[in-house]
Amino acid sequence: RQQPDQAAVLLMAATFISRLLGYLRDVVLFAYFGQGSLTDAYYAAFTLPDFLYLLLVGSALGPVFIPIFSSYLAKKQETEAWRVANSIWNVVICFMFFGLLLAFYFAPQLICLLAPGFAPETAVLAVELTRIMLPQAFFLALAGIGMGILHSYNNYLTPSIGSITYNVAILLVSLFLLPYWGIHGFAFGVTVGAFCYFLVELPALYQTGWRWQPFLSFRHPGVQEIFHRLLPVLLGLSVNQIN
């Protein structure tokens, strides 16, 4: 558990390191492929899973979920807190699963919508890279909920390590696969990085007492409150993301 001032410093340091590694990741990408149709296809492919993650968890669910989950913990109602957490967890799993299936199937149409000026071969490559990177959104969504739970328990270290691990894994896997798979290896590295992010959080989540359960209750007051608060946040964020 970290004190507020320690947590602030830790988050700032982790954000700085993660951004630095993200910059290094882009340096490696452009060093190998330059700036052209390959990197255009890669960044277009990154857009769709990134949109799904940011819209649901990255910018919307976290600020809504954490206060409600923490309020149950503050009232010593840990059983109810876990009911809320598992309900939201399972909603996100279902939403992301079906959303990613649709995105996988309609990837050609979505790429044409996102990048209408691509040459046919670039569009085909963007579709391939999109389908490789789509699982990234699923693992980042799970990691986002895990981060909310850990923050509620004043554990800021583990999610910070996870965000750094995300970029480190992308770099290492990409550097290993680039000679064999080309830019497809970079896309695969993104998915592996997201999986590692979630994997880093699992031991700390188990220490809090969390256990996944196939529990889903839309009638639970905490779940209903989350959805009531989430709708206006989603509407505001969707306008920005779509723009």
Side-chain angles (χ1 to χ4, degrees), residues 23 27 54 72 115 141 156 170-171 188 204:
Y23 174 74
V27 168
L54 287 174
Y72 280 100
Y156 299 92
I170 293 175
L171 279 170
F188 186 73

Side-chain angles (χ1 to χ4, degrees), residues 26-107:
D26 290 342
V27 168
V28 171
L29 179 69
F30 286 111
Y32 269 86
F33 302 106
Q35 187 170 359
S37 59
L38 293 179
T39 49
D40 287 345
Y42 170 82
Y43 282 110
F46 206 98
T47 301
L48 188 57
D50 205 40
F51 171 78
L52 287 172
Y53 165 70
L54 287 174
L55 185 61
L56 181 64
V57 178
S59 300
L61 187 56
V64 176
F65 170 75
I66 294 175
I68 295 174
F69 181 77
S70 298
S71 69
Y72 280 100
L73 296 180
K75 292 182 288 188
K76 308 297 182 183
Q77 297 177 343
E78 199 163 21
T79 300
E80 296 304 311
W82 292 130
R83 286 179 176 271
V84 172
N86 273 305
S87 290
I88 296 302
W89 198 288
N90 291 324
V91 167
V92 169
I93 287 175
C94 293
F95 179 89
M96 295 301 294
F97 180 76
F98 288 108
L100 293 177
L101 279 181
L102 289 173
F104 187 91
Y105 183 79
F106 290 107

Side-chain angles (χ1 to χ4, degrees), residues 113-191:
L113 181 66
L114 289 170
F118 275 176
E121 61 274 11
T122 305
V124 170
L125 176 61
V127 170
E128 293 173 353
L129 298 179
T130 296
R131 287 172 170 168
I132 293 173
M133 286 193 282
L134 278 174
Q136 174 209 202
F138 180 79
F139 293 122
L140 286 182
L142 298 183
I145 301 174
M147 180 177 64
I149 294 173
L150 293 173
H151 282 182
S152 298
Y153 278 89
N154 295 321
N155 182 341
Y156 299 92
L157 178 62
T158 302
S160 299
I161 294 174
S163 65
I164 295 171
T165 303
Y166 169 68
N167 282 304
V168 171
I170 293 175
L171 279 170
L172 293 179
V173 173
S174 300
L175 287 171
F176 177 76
L177 292 178
L178 278 175
Y180 308 101
W181 292 2
I183 201 164
H184 292 80
F186 217 95
F188 186 73
V190 169
T191 296

